[in-house]
Amino acid sequence: MLMRKLTVEVRNLHIRGCIEWGTSLLGQLEWLHKLYRITRRLNPVFGTMLNAAAAERNKEPILSVLRDSVNTERPLQALEISSGTGQHVVHFAQTLRNITWQPSEYDRQSLASIEAYRSHYQLHNVKPVIHLDASQPHQCWGGIQPESLDLVLNINMIHISALSCTEGLFRGAGALLKPQGLLLTYGPYAVNGQITPQSNVDFDYSLRQRNPEWGLKDISFLNSVAQKNGLFLEKIVEMPANNKCLLFRKESLV
């Protein structure tokens, strides 16, 4: 009998302890939620700066190619198509301050992230992001005028988008770049019908399983699309992690 009473008392103490602990935890969670709401009111972009590990890894190697490929002294105008999280554009803009950058994106969540990065870094050479569908005619690209750009940049879009986006990218770049302007694309590509190494073969297979329109595009195919739009493949730069930078130059009129 005594043992039964002790057991009941211990159980009651345990239950009361759990309830008190749960109440305390709930109070802490409510406090954190209030703090979050206050922070969002004071800083509306709090919590929306997305971070992509791949962008963090490749932003410096791509910047190195940009430094070697564009004039770093005179004012230039650049459009980044498919800016993703916004990590690239703010990184490039901090170093290449002679370039005025126009980020763009199709995905709504990414649009918010780009604006969050822009607001956080307060860079005067980064314009507000525009919504851009690369498959649409360049006349729908936020009012950018023909032959007004020195640089068009496109990172990791071609292999994860429909062919219409790739064709639209080259068509738009051909129209909006000044003569001798540069289109730089970055990502994994096939070369003369071959994909190497095996990790890229596996990556290509996984992309096509997700969407038959996705997958690594062949450089020779991209060059043929470029030529139809007044661009020629000037240089291929080998990059880390089995990627490449392709540099397409717009042909001069003279």
Side-chain angles (χ1 to χ4, degrees):
M1 191 69 165
L2 179 61
M3 286 299 296
R4 187 178 301 164
K5 278 187 168 182
L6 285 172
T7 303
V8 170
E9 285 297 322
V10 169
R11 187 183 297 122
N12 289 340
L13 284 171
H14 178 70
I15 292 170
R16 281 200 297 272
C18 289
I19 291 171
E20 288 171 3
W21 177 83
T23 303
S24 174
L25 179 61
L26 184 61
Q28 291 178 48
L29 289 173
E30 287 176 351
W31 180 83
L32 286 171
H33 185 60
K34 286 179 182 177
L35 179 62
Y36 175 80
R37 288 204 310 267
I38 292 169
T39 306
R40 284 302 299 266
R41 272 203 305 272
L42 295 175
N43 181 12
V45 302
F46 175 77
T48 60
M49 291 171 66
L50 303 177
N51 185 280
E56 203 59 37
R57 288 193 302 269
N58 63 37
K59 65 183 185 182
E60 191 59 35
I62 297 173
L63 175 59
S64 179
V65 176
L66 284 169
R67 277 203 205 96
D68 293 340
S69 306
V70 301
N71 190 313
T72 57
E73 295 179 359
R74 65 181 181 85
L76 301 176
Q77 298 291 324
L79 167 66
E80 184 183 21
I81 296 177
S82 188
S83 296
T85 61
Q87 290 164 262
H88 286 125
V89 71
V90 296
H91 185 69
F92 303 154
Q94 288 175 82
T95 300
L96 300 172
R97 292 186 176 270
N98 64 306
I99 301 178
T100 298
W101 297 87
Q102 174 62 76
S104 71
E105 181 53 62
Y106 179 77
D107 177 71
R108 295 292 179 181
Q109 187 179 22
S110 297
L111 286 166
S113 180
I114 295 162
E115 277 304 287
Y117 274 97
R118 201 175 71 87
S119 177
H120 178 78
Y121 285 97
Q122 293 290 304
L123 296 166
H124 299 297
N125 59 331
V126 180
K127 294 181 178 181
V129 65
I130 59 173
H131 180 259
L132 190 151
D133 182 347
S135 69
Q136 296 300 305
H138 68 84
Q139 291 88 346
C140 303
W141 292 9
I144 301 172
Q145 295 301 302
E147 298 197 346
S148 63
L149 300 175
D150 302 281
L151 171 68
V152 174
L153 181 63
N154 183 245
I155 298 171
N156 279 337
M157 182 199 82
I158 291 175
H159 59 284
I160 53 170
S161 59
L163 180 59
S164 59
C165 292
T166 297
E167 293 172 335
L169 166 68
F170 282 94
R171 192 163 49 244
L176 300 180
L177 283 170
K178 300 173 183 176
Q180 293 301 303
L182 182 70
L183 166 63
L184 187 154
T185 72
Y186 168 92
Y189 303 98
V191 181
N192 297 323
Q194 300 296 314
I195 298 176
T196 58
Q198 186 61 41
S199 59
N200 273 3
V201 174
D202 296 339
F203 183 45
D204 177 70
Y205 177 78
S206 69
L207 291 174
R208 294 181 189 278
Q209 289 295 107
R210 290 165 61 188
N211 188 323
E213 289 197 87
W214 293 6
L216 277 62
K217 304 296 189 294
D218 199 288
I219 292 176
S220 60
F221 167 73
L222 296 177
N223 191 29
S224 68
V225 176
Q227 289 176 0
K228 292 175 183 175
N229 293 284
L231 304 164
F232 65 92
L233 182 58
E234 181 178 76
K235 190 176 182 181
I236 301 174
V237 181
E238 296 293 333
M239 303 294 283
N242 307 306
N243 292 297
K244 303 179 193 298
C245 275
L246 308 183
L247 281 66
F248 297 91
R249 187 75 62 179
K250 183 173 180 178
E251 294 174 330
S252 177
L253 297 177
V254 295

